[in-house]
Amino acid sequence: MHSESLDALIIGGGPAGLAAAIYLARFRRRSLLVDAGASRASLIPTSHNLPGHPEGIAGDDLLAAERAQAERYGATLLRGRVAALEHGDGGFSARIEESGGDTREVGARFVLLATGIRDRRPGLPDEEEATRRGILRYCPVCDGYEATGRSVGVIGADEHAVAEASFLTTWSNDVTLFTFGRPGLSGEERRRIEELGLSLVEARIGAARFEDAGARLDFEDGTTVKCDLLYGALGVEPLSDLARAVGAELDAEGFVSVDALQRSSVEDLYAAGDVVKSLNQIVVGMGQAAIAATNIHRRLLDEGVRPEASTAPRDAET
């Protein structure tokens, strides 16, 4: 059992959490980032819409680069999970279960949640591998450009799915909406599907196979459809249990409600990245993390808490 006192505890080791760790380390703050090792970014085969990476970058490579940058400036990164979080006078206490089996207790003046979201998956065989190969996707804002001129399937049966299919017509004239037998399409949504010229398959799925050329879907009514790409449009689940545990305000979908400085309704609790309702983009999460980390540093300065002396290397100025 260990005990330590921090300026800030960062929970979540995806792009937003790591960006916060970089900022707080450069502000010379005593921070700890706890990473459960399950960032959605790790499933990205290649991101082509991240500014500054004209040839694209794999999600794992981006995370590795951020970790290296954070550690360069002295950030402490820990693999594990925050099993419990409590808020009291003067900050927070957290119980951390490390990946090696040890447990430690830490106190932190501030907490930044960067716990992200979980995609609701369609329940097809080998989904994770198909996502890593770029056949099954979840974010047309991120990678719709790569669907240009290709056949695209969208899985879902509600307004969100129709909107996503509509969005994908930016790049493809061959878009099919698959409901997999789920009810939910309204008359207005059906009219929208017809106006857009989308194909609609409402039969239940019987079997699915991901191949080098894309996805083959066999339906219970005997229909077979092949698509180059499939998009899941079944929504997401915000990973906001820790925010709920300390009484933070959540919206109707479970996202953490924050102000312009990423502050939640609980004093000293911040949130950034996909756990906040926003455009689910890496650059957005990084920007939110930068705002939160900078405000944490300024508040510590206002409270008279001086930064630590840094032993990290000084960058050469050019």
Side-chain angles (χ1 to χ4, degrees), residues 1 51 59 99 104 111 126 130 159-160 193 205 222 248 280 288:
M1 182 75 69
S99 59
R104 71 165 71 182
V111 167
D126 304 317
E159 181 181 4
H160 169 68
I193 289 168
I205 188 70
N280 294 339
Q288 292 171 341

Side-chain angles (χ1 to χ4, degrees), residues 42-46 60 127-136:
S42 67
L43 295 175
I44 300 172
T46 308
D60 279 337
E127 287 178 328
E128 185 167 312
E129 178 59 25
T131 303
R132 292 186 184 280
R133 291 168 56 195
I135 300 172
L136 178 60

Side-chain angles (χ1 to χ4, degrees), residues 51-85:
H53 296 277
E55 302 304 319
I57 184 170
D60 279 337
D61 291 342
L62 173 65
L63 295 172
E66 282 195 87
R67 284 193 291 266
Q69 188 173 357
E71 289 173 336
R72 171 184 174 84
Y73 295 109
T76 301
L77 313 179
L78 176 68
R79 181 58 59 87
R81 60 182 291 269
V82 175
L85 183 67

Side-chain angles (χ1 to χ4, degrees), residues 20-287:
I22 292 167
Y23 271 71
L24 287 168
R26 286 172 58 86
F27 290 143
R28 295 163 50 194
R29 291 300 177 184
R30 297 187 311 277
S31 67
L32 171 67
L33 181 148
V34 181
D35 176 18
S39 172
R40 280 171 86 236
S42 67
L43 295 175
I44 300 172
T46 308
S47 174
H48 292 280
N49 76 327
L50 191 61
H53 296 277
E55 302 304 319
I57 184 170
D60 279 337
D61 291 342
L62 173 65
L63 295 172
E66 282 195 87
R67 284 193 291 266
Q69 188 173 357
E71 289 173 336
R72 171 184 174 84
Y73 295 109
T76 301
L77 313 179
L78 176 68
R79 181 58 59 87
R81 60 182 291 269
V82 175
L85 183 67
E86 296 181 359
H87 180 245
D89 293 338
F92 297 83
S93 60
R95 186 176 80 253
I96 301 169
E97 296 176 350
E98 300 181 33
S99 59
D102 289 341
T103 299
R104 71 165 71 182
E105 302 280 345
V106 302
R109 178 69 185 83
F110 297 97
V111 167
L112 171 59
L113 293 177
T115 44
I117 55 178
R118 180 185 298 113
D119 292 294
R120 295 191 181 101
R121 296 187 176 185
L124 301 175
D126 304 317
E127 287 178 328
E128 185 167 312
E129 178 59 25
T131 303
R132 292 186 184 280
R133 291 168 56 195
I135 300 172
L136 178 60
R137 304 180 174 197
Y138 294 94
C139 180
V141 175
C142 307
D143 49 36
Y145 182 90
E146 281 69 52
T148 300
R150 305 172 78 181
S151 58
V152 181
V154 177
I155 302 168
D158 59 12
E159 181 181 4
H160 169 68
V162 175
E164 190 152 308
S166 172
F167 193 82
L168 280 158
T169 62
T170 304
W171 302 280
S172 174
N173 294 322
D174 185 0
V175 179
T176 301
L177 182 66
F178 301 108
T179 70
F180 283 8
R182 296 177 175 88
L185 290 177
S186 68
E188 177 59 33
E189 286 153 9
R190 291 179 183 277
R191 284 191 292 274
R192 180 65 174 155
I193 289 168
E194 186 174 352
E195 289 172 1
L196 291 167
L198 305 176
S199 299
L200 176 63
V201 176
E202 298 186 83
R204 292 182 181 276
I205 188 70
R209 185 165 66 248
F210 295 104
E211 304 166 333
D212 290 341
R216 171 183 169 136
L217 304 177
D218 297 320
F219 295 90
E220 290 183 355
D221 67 355
T223 303
T224 294
V225 182
K226 294 183 179 180
C227 294
D228 296 322
L229 302 171
L230 271 181
Y231 279 84
L234 302 172
V236 299
E237 299 173 13
L239 301 177
S240 53
D241 287 350
L242 291 172
R244 183 180 289 107
V246 295
E249 179 183 337
L250 309 178
D251 72 8
E253 297 174 81
F255 291 95
V256 181
S257 300
V258 296
D259 65 10
L261 296 175
Q262 304 303 129
R263 297 176 299 190
S264 78
S265 62
V266 171
E267 185 73 15
D268 309 326
L269 178 70
Y270 291 72
D274 290 350
V275 75
V276 172
K277 185 64 173 287
S278 185
L279 185 64
N280 294 339
Q281 295 288 287
I282 289 171
V283 291
V284 173
M286 288 179 170

